Amino acid sequence: NAGVMQNPRHLVRRRGQEARLRCSPMKGHSHVYWYRQLPEEGLKFMVYLQKENIIDESGMPKERFSAEFPKEGPSILRIQQVVRGDSAAYFCASSLRDGYEQYFGPGTRLTVT
Amino acid sequence: AQRVTQPEKLLSVFKGAPVELKCNYSYSGSPELFWYVQYSRQRLQLLLRHISRESIKGFTADLNKGETSFHLKKPFAQEEDSAMYYCALSVLYGNKLVFGAGTILRVKS
């Protein structure tokens, strides 16, 4: 089992462009979580998804950010019209079931120039 | 509101010395607490959780509800313990983790 995969590992975008971050959960896991880590801070919860459903998006900024986890394929975190403040490390985690241990991916480091 | 506080950004100890990484939390419900560790160039991984009451790699942590603390301890530090350590609180039945800012542990020889 390769573990949680995230790509790309590094992403550079100019202000105003779109960023798409992908997360493939561990085999057999149907629960996905996205976290953001700003410099010098801990990871902050963004969104929790199950296949085709957003369960909790209480940590998502109201505008420009969206997430999906389709029936087939990876989970996508999409950031439209990126700004410098979006520069951060974005981590994805997956779990087998509700409330079970979360396994983390290596993260995607987004830099907005 | 839920919050996790790790007061030390960096803790530097000599090999063989005792280690205590501090963690305090704020949560009105029944807390479930974890310690995660990130070694150099590796991904974040679970070290231990309070409900299992295990000792992992010589580390233990006791939940003190009176002091709202979950400090991580090890009696004799090893060089391979050098890493970033995050304390985390689980809310919503484990579906949302609230992390502290992390403490870098450096074990010097």
Side-chain angles (χ1 to χ4, degrees), chain A residues 2-5 31 33 35 37 40-45 48 55-56 58-59 91 95 97-106, chain B residues 6 9 32 34 36 38 41-47 49 51 84 86 89-102:
Chain A
V4 178
M5 306 292 287
H31 299 247
Y33 315 79
Y35 294 84
Q37 184 176 33
E40 307 290 318
E41 295 186 17
L43 284 73
K44 296 246 182 335
F45 171 83
Y48 162 43
I55 306 301
D56 179 358
S58 59
F91 291 92
S95 70
R97 291 203 180 102
D98 217 358
Y100 275 44
E101 178 180 344
Q102 295 183 24
Y103 292 83
F104 282 80
Chain B
Q6 293 179 251
K9 271 191 160 176
E32 186 174 358
F34 305 81
Y36 280 81
Q38 187 170 28
R41 302 186 202 288
Q42 294 187 29
R43 59 188 69 190
L44 197 62
Q45 56 187 283
L46 180 65
L47 179 63
R49 57 199 305 176
I51 57 170
M84 174 71 98
Y86 293 98
L89 168 69
S90 167
V91 302
L92 296 176
Y93 308 106
N95 294 323
K96 175 177 173 179
L97 292 172
V98 177
F99 284 87

Side-chain angles (χ1 to χ4, degrees), chain B residues 31-104:
Chain B
E32 186 174 358
L33 285 139
F34 305 81
W35 277 98
Y36 280 81
V37 60
Q38 187 170 28
Y39 300 103
S40 180
R41 302 186 202 288
Q42 294 187 29
R43 59 188 69 190
L44 197 62
Q45 56 187 283
L46 180 65
L47 179 63
L48 54 80
R49 57 199 305 176
H50 90 269
I51 57 170
S52 63
R53 304 182 73 84
E54 290 175 304
S55 171
I56 306 291
K57 300 186 179 184
F59 284 98
T60 58
D62 290 317
L63 177 61
N64 185 325
K65 290 188 179 179
E67 295 182 0
T68 59
S69 68
F70 188 56
H71 303 327
L72 184 67
K73 298 177 186 177
K74 184 168 182 176
F76 308 105
Q78 312 280 335
E79 285 181 76
E80 55 266 30
D81 295 329
S82 295
M84 174 71 98
Y85 290 80
Y86 293 98
C87 183
L89 168 69
S90 167
V91 302
L92 296 176
Y93 308 106
N95 294 323
K96 175 177 173 179
L97 292 172
V98 177
F99 284 87
T103 298
I104 299 170

